Amino acid sequence: MNVLGQPAQIRILPDRPRLQEKYPVVENPQLDPRDSTSPEEILRTMMEEQEALDPADINDHIEGFHRQFTAKGILGNAPTLAQCREVAQELHDGFTTSQLENYLKSWKENGVELRTANYDDMEERFRSKLCTRSAWFTGLSKFPEEAILRLDPGISAKKKDKFLLGFDPPEGKIKQTDKQQVMERILRQAWKIRCKEEKAMEGELDILLQAEHLRLLLLHSKLYEHHQLNAALIKSETDLFTKLSEQYSAKIDVSQSKHIVRITGDYAICSDLAKLIYFMIEKIESADLELPTVDNAMRYANSSAATARGVLNDRSYVEHIEKLTSTLIKTTQSTQGNYLRVYYIGPDTTDLEDVQRLVHQLLNPGTGNKCQVQYDPPDNWMVPIQAPIEVGSAVPWTERRTFWSRWRDARLILTSEDKGRSSKEAITQSVTEEPHSLARSIGKFLSESRPRLKIADKGDHIYWKSSQNHMVSVVLGHIAYPVLSRLAQPNYIQARTYKSRKDQETRLRNAFLKTIDSRRIVVTGLPGSLGAFERLSDSVGYNHQDLRVRLKPSKMESSVDVELRALPELELRVRLSDRSEETKVESVQFIRDERESDLLLPQEIADARFRAYTFFDSKPNLDPRIIDFITSSNFDVWGESRLRTPPKLNLNVPGFVLPASVRDLVKNGEDIEVEYVFASLEHHSYMQTMHEGCRVYYNTVEAGRTGGRRTDLWLETPMNAPHSEYFVARDFVPFFNTVRNLISTMGPGALSIST
């Protein structure tokens, strides 16, 4: 208590130096230092200062950076990574996170004005009725698992690009700061920036297509060099995606079950290929082809037996047409009829026209020619068997899926039991001593019903000659018959099947006689053909080339009830000159009254098919519609483009060209309007010589993928008196003997031919 009264002691501390302010204090002369400000007043003042900055002005200021970046020409030429990070640094230093987020939000709300949402924009996922395309991503991923995620509208937006345009993550961190991530989205999404280094990297782009469109592209073998309407077409045996992959040095993966196409390459390659694929699917068109009903469908005359229903049920024929024409075909059946729906890539209709032509060939392959079959020798000791032959591409496409065989004399095929017998001896024994009766039978059949035409007094036609001409020709080859399966070797001796050898021969001979008049084709390309031709003359002349276009009647604009098979066909021959690379119309002919007679020679190396026909030549002044047809055709065999003709040609057929059975139905012999459709286009390259009064040709024929490639040895002679025994005795019998002698010089019989 005593200490309370003691005086207090005060200790005075020494002075210390004060810390200097880093920033000088700026005094406000209007502020009175004696005034005191409450915390509420300070907060209110800060709020007022923040409200003074308009968000729209801030967005315009950020957009100003974008315009400056674009004005430098950087975006069009792809900026470098250094330039991208420079502008990212400016955004980081000049704006707060909330301001950048507000700009990004405003861009999303007004995205229509700030971005172009179309297929050419590879920065975003694109979706339409035709396809769905992902954005381009750097790096490689699993296919098709990752592609499905990128194409999904709910997942694709969450996928991020691995390449960073702005800042790298801070040291020790695995991702950018929040502010840096906002800036990255602005550069990527709003400004659509990709740097040069990134575009040069390998990346991926996925496209989801409709099932029909993807299958059509897989079947397609044409390449559009430029995605323009007048694009040049290049035909190739390889499929479209393989061709594109080779030309663009890119990798293309296809998932047929998921209908997804993945393109792997740098940014420019993926972008070009994606645009090209989209251009092609935009041009996909469809058309319906009506098929004849089952009752009216014609069966094959020289081809596989099938009807309209058979074509619909046999998918293999349709698939073969798809491969040949680069189209997609769907068969539909309704109460109104049967249809083929054809999907093709337009605007060019060449593929559709090819489908129409092939379907027409498939359903109407027969020419209506009257056919006959003879065989030599007709003795009773010949043992016929069927020997398999390889046809390869020497026959039309409709026949290549069938197994074929030729009738042979069994004794010419040496077995282990009779190797001592020579085939030459067998041939010598089997030659008929008196062939004149056979020649007369064939000659009479070929010249039957060919009376000389009596021209009315009305005068000649303005475009066609009224005089009729007749021609007989023969082609050497194998007359082939269809068999159920390919035979490795002819097995014609089976002791357990027949009671005796005589019974076996009898049954084989009966089978031969029953089947020789069935469906058959001629297969050319015999191994001794060229040698036989060269032995006929020392001077064979030079090589000739021409294109032969055959058109068949399809529709008739007339009240006269005439079968189409009775109308003449039209053939155009265009001569080719390699020296000048020029084309010239050689002949235009109406052809009718075609007859064929097959001569089977089981003991020889070759059979023979005789053909006779009547033709009418055009005058030098061609019908203008024929001139237009030729002008619209492409006969440039020296170029790279595809040979083609228009699909149809309408002509006025003179009355005197019609057969006698039809001519009387036409009033006063007037012309009738007939629509002709394209049937075939063949390139013939041949040598010719004269032998015993007839022309002999060795011919190489290129008929495309549908007609095949073959070599022919054939002879022809004019039919001077077609309807008289005089022609048979004076003209045909010597011609027949010339053919038989030529076959005998070609060597011993052979089982197969070279194709």
Side-chain angles (χ1 to χ4, degrees):
M1 297 297 293
N2 294 331
V3 299
L4 294 176
Q6 294 180 1
Q9 296 181 358
I10 301 174
R11 184 179 178 180
I12 301 175
L13 297 176
D15 295 336
R16 295 182 180 180
R18 299 181 61 184
L19 296 175
Q20 296 182 358
E21 296 289 342
K22 184 176 181 180
Y23 300 99
V25 178
V26 180
E27 296 183 357
N28 188 351
Q30 298 179 355
L31 183 62
D32 189 353
R34 292 175 296 179
D35 294 342
S36 61
T37 305
S38 64
E40 292 80 3
E41 186 68 19
I42 295 175
L43 181 61
R44 185 179 61 82
T45 302
M46 294 177 62
M47 295 282 292
E48 292 176 354
E49 292 177 353
Q50 185 176 8
E51 291 177 358
L53 296 176
D54 189 1
D57 294 338
I58 297 176
N59 292 343
D60 290 342
H61 192 43
I62 297 176
E63 187 62 25
F65 279 87
H66 183 203
R67 288 191 293 268
Q68 292 178 6
F69 202 56
T70 306
K72 296 178 182 179
I74 294 177
L75 284 180
N77 299 324
T80 62
L81 181 61
Q83 291 171 328
C84 294
R85 296 198 168 181
E86 180 181 352
V87 71
Q89 185 67 48
E90 293 177 354
L91 292 176
H92 182 276
D93 296 341
F95 302 94
T96 64
T97 303
S98 61
Q99 291 172 339
L100 294 174
E101 290 177 343
N102 184 67
Y103 172 79
L104 190 61
K105 180 180 178 181
S106 175
W107 170 81
K108 291 180 179 179
E109 294 176 352
N110 305 298
V112 177
E113 299 177 358
L114 299 179
R115 71 178 187 271
T116 56
N118 54 43
Y119 189 85
D120 294 342
D121 182 10
M122 302 298 161
E123 306 303 326
E124 294 183 354
R125 184 179 59 85
F126 174 85
R127 187 176 184 182
S128 69
K129 295 181 179 179
L130 296 177
C131 70
T132 300
R133 176 193 50 74
S134 71
W136 183 77
F137 292 90
T138 56
L140 304 178
S141 61
K142 294 182 179 181
F143 180 78
E145 293 84 355
E146 190 69 21
I148 297 175
L149 297 177
R150 291 174 176 174
L151 292 167
D152 188 274
I155 302 177
S156 179
K158 301 178 183 179
K159 302 297 293 181
K160 297 181 180 179
D161 207 296
K162 299 177 182 180
F163 194 90
L164 299 177
L165 289 175
F167 299 95
D168 292 328
E171 186 176 355
K173 303 291 185 179
I174 61 175
K175 63 179 181 178
Q176 298 172 324
T177 64
D178 293 342
K179 187 175 184 179
Q180 291 174 345
Q181 292 180 18
V182 175
M183 286 188 304
E184 190 76 25
R185 291 198 297 271
I186 291 176
L187 296 178
R188 284 283 183 200
Q189 301 175 13
W191 293 8
K192 303 185 187 308
I193 296 178
R194 284 195 186 270
C195 63
K196 291 182 178 179
E197 293 83 351
E198 182 183 11
K199 287 188 173 182
M201 296 175 60
E202 191 174 35
E204 300 170 338
L205 185 145
D206 302 306
I207 306 175
L208 175 64
L209 301 174
Q210 298 181 19
E212 293 82 2
H213 293 176
L214 177 59
R215 186 180 171 192
L216 176 60
L217 295 181
L218 290 173
L219 290 168
H220 209 66
S221 58
K222 292 180 180 179
L223 177 61
Y224 285 81
E225 290 292 345
H226 308 285
H227 40 280
Q228 304 293 335
L229 289 179
N230 56 351
L233 299 179
I234 296 180
K235 197 72 175 177
S236 172
E237 294 297 331
T238 57
D239 64 271
L240 174 69
F241 291 117
T242 302
K243 192 71 176 178
L244 290 174
S245 178
E246 294 174 354
Q247 177 154 338
Y248 283 82
S249 299
K251 180 183 178 183
I252 300 180
D253 298 308
V254 178
S255 174
Q256 297 190 46
S257 60
K258 304 297 183 182
H259 315 140
I260 298 176
V261 176
R262 165 166 287 184
I263 307 172
T264 303
D266 60 34
Y267 183 87
I269 289 177
C270 291
S271 177
D272 290 344
L273 285 176
K275 294 176 183 178
L276 181 56
I277 292 175
Y278 188 73
F279 167 78
M280 297 184 72
I281 62 176
E282 274 188 319
K283 304 305 174 186
I284 292 179
E285 301 178 13
S286 64
D288 291 335
L289 301 181
E290 184 176 2
L291 297 176
T293 59
V294 178
D295 295 335
N296 297 329
M298 287 184 292
R299 293 186 175 271
Y300 288 126
N302 297 318
S303 191
S304 304
T307 60
R309 177 172 296 181
V311 174
L312 291 174
N313 295 334
D314 192 350
R315 182 65 191 173
S316 59
Y317 283 106
V318 177
E319 290 176 352
H320 194 67
I321 296 178
E322 290 177 340
K323 182 178 179 181
L324 292 174
T325 59
S326 298
T327 58
L328 175 63
I329 302 175
K330 285 191 171 183
T331 57
T332 58
Q333 300 183 15
S334 63
T335 55
Q336 282 115 11
N338 301 323
Y339 295 88
L340 291 180
R341 175 156 295 177
V342 183
Y343 294 87
Y344 64 98
I345 297 181
D348 185 55
T349 59
T350 303
D351 294 338
L352 177 62
E353 295 165 2
D354 287 344
V355 173
Q356 292 175 322
R357 175 172 56 86
L358 294 177
V359 170
H360 181 79
Q361 291 178 358
L362 192 62
L363 297 179
N364 306 279
T367 59
N369 304 345
K370 294 184 178 180
C371 301
Q372 179 197 56
V373 62
Q374 299 283 347
Y375 66 96
D376 181 25
D379 54 20
N380 57 3
W381 56 268
M382 191 262 293
V383 182
I385 64 168
Q386 287 187 325
I389 61 174
E390 298 288 340
V391 298
S393 61
V395 297
W397 68 277
T398 54
E399 311 292 4
R400 296 172 195 168
R401 298 175 59 253
T402 305
F403 300 116
W404 298 96
S405 65
R406 179 200 176 202
W407 283 107
R408 300 285 289 133
D409 188 348
R411 290 164 297 181
L412 298 181
I413 305 174
L414 302 181
T415 65
S416 58
E417 300 178 0
D418 55 358
K419 289 185 178 179
R421 173 191 285 263
S422 67
S423 59
K424 185 176 180 180
E425 292 176 353
I427 292 176
T428 303
Q429 295 175 3
S430 60
V431 172
T432 305
E433 296 180 359
E434 184 62 39
H436 296 296
S437 60
L438 186 59
R440 289 192 183 97
S441 175
I442 297 176
K444 183 178 180 181
F445 173 79
L446 295 176
S447 62
E448 196 173 23
S449 301
R450 295 180 186 271
R452 283 292 181 181
L453 181 65
K454 296 181 180 180
I455 304 298
D457 296 331
K458 59 177 295 185
D460 290 342
H461 195 272
I462 184 174
Y463 299 124
W464 296 94
K465 297 179 181 179
S466 58
S467 59
Q468 58 180 340
N469 305 279
H470 309 276
M471 188 69 66
V472 177
S473 64
V474 61
V475 61
L476 306 184
H478 288 167
I479 304 300
Y481 292 83
V483 292
L484 296 179
S485 62
R486 189 187 305 275
L487 303 176
Q489 290 185 0
N491 185 8
Y492 60 94
I493 299 178
Q494 297 179 3
R496 63 181 182 274
T497 305
Y498 303 99
K499 297 180 180 179
S500 64
R501 181 63 176 263
K502 184 177 181 180
D503 180 48
Q504 174 198 14
E505 293 178 358
T506 303
R507 294 195 181 189
L508 287 172
R509 192 175 297 110
N510 292 337
F512 168 72
L513 295 175
K514 289 180 180 179
T515 59
I516 59 173
D517 202 22
S518 62
R519 182 171 66 93
R520 58 193 181 274
I521 62 172
V522 58
V523 184
T524 60
L526 303 178
S529 299
L530 182 58
F533 175 79
E534 292 176 343
R535 287 191 294 269
L536 294 180
S537 175
D538 296 334
S539 175
V540 297
Y542 60 92
N543 190 48
H544 300 271
Q545 293 188 72
D546 61 37
L547 293 174
R548 301 182 187 181
V549 182
R550 181 63 74 98
L551 296 99
K552 296 184 178 182
S554 172
K555 188 187 304 182
M556 182 177 59
E557 301 294 337
S558 175
S559 58
V560 181
D561 186 12
V562 179
E563 293 185 2
L564 292 178
R565 289 173 175 262
L567 298 176
E569 296 185 1
L570 184 69
E571 184 178 88
L572 291 76
R573 294 193 182 187
V574 180
R575 177 61 61 91
L576 305 176
S577 175
D578 281 336
R579 295 181 180 180
S580 59
E581 294 189 357
E582 294 179 350
T583 58
K584 181 182 179 180
V585 178
E586 183 178 12
S587 66
V588 180
Q589 298 177 343
F590 278 123
I591 297 177
R592 66 172 175 83
D593 295 336
E594 291 187 88
R595 288 193 169 210
E596 294 176 349
S597 179
D598 290 338
L599 175 61
L600 306 184
L601 302 172
Q603 78 286 357
E604 299 283 7
I605 187 177
D607 303 315
R609 169 166 286 183
F610 293 89
R611 173 174 172 259
Y613 61 93
T614 301
F615 63 93
F616 294 82
D617 286 316
S618 173
K619 290 184 176 180
N621 54 323
L622 296 176
D623 190 315
R625 287 183 283 188
I626 295 180
I627 297 177
D628 293 340
F629 180 87
I630 297 175
T631 304
S632 303
S633 303
N634 178 24
F635 295 144
D636 184 15
V637 298
W638 306 277
E640 297 180 356
S641 57
R642 179 181 176 186
L643 301 181
R644 59 167 297 179
T645 67
K648 298 178 181 179
L649 171 63
N650 292 328
L651 277 183
N652 289 329
V653 179
F656 58 77
V657 174
L658 303 176
S661 58
V662 179
R663 195 180 309 123
D664 297 336
L665 301 177
V666 182
K667 296 181 180 179
N668 301 324
E670 297 177 354
D671 298 352
I672 59 174
E673 182 81 10
V674 178
E675 179 187 84
Y676 284 86
V677 295
F678 173 82
S680 64
L681 171 61
E682 298 180 344
H683 177 215
H684 289 245
S685 178
Y686 59 92
M687 297 179 292
Q688 68 179 39
T689 186
M690 295 296 297
H691 178 68
E692 297 183 359
C694 60
R695 294 189 184 92
V696 185
Y697 298 89
Y698 182 78
N699 189 19
T700 300
V701 182
E702 294 281 357
R705 292 189 297 172
T706 58
R709 185 182 190 274
R710 65 184 187 273
T711 55
D712 298 336
L713 180 62
W714 54 287
L715 302 83
E716 70 175 11
T717 185
M719 189 186 299
N720 298 318
H723 192 58
S724 66
E725 292 292 335
Y726 181 72
F727 159 75
V728 176
R730 196 199 72 168
D731 294 337
F732 188 75
V733 171
F735 180 68
F736 180 87
N737 293 333
T738 300
V739 174
R740 286 301 310 269
N741 293 333
L742 179 60
I743 293 176
S744 64
T745 63
M746 297 175 64
L751 285 180
S752 61
I753 64 173
S754 59
T755 57

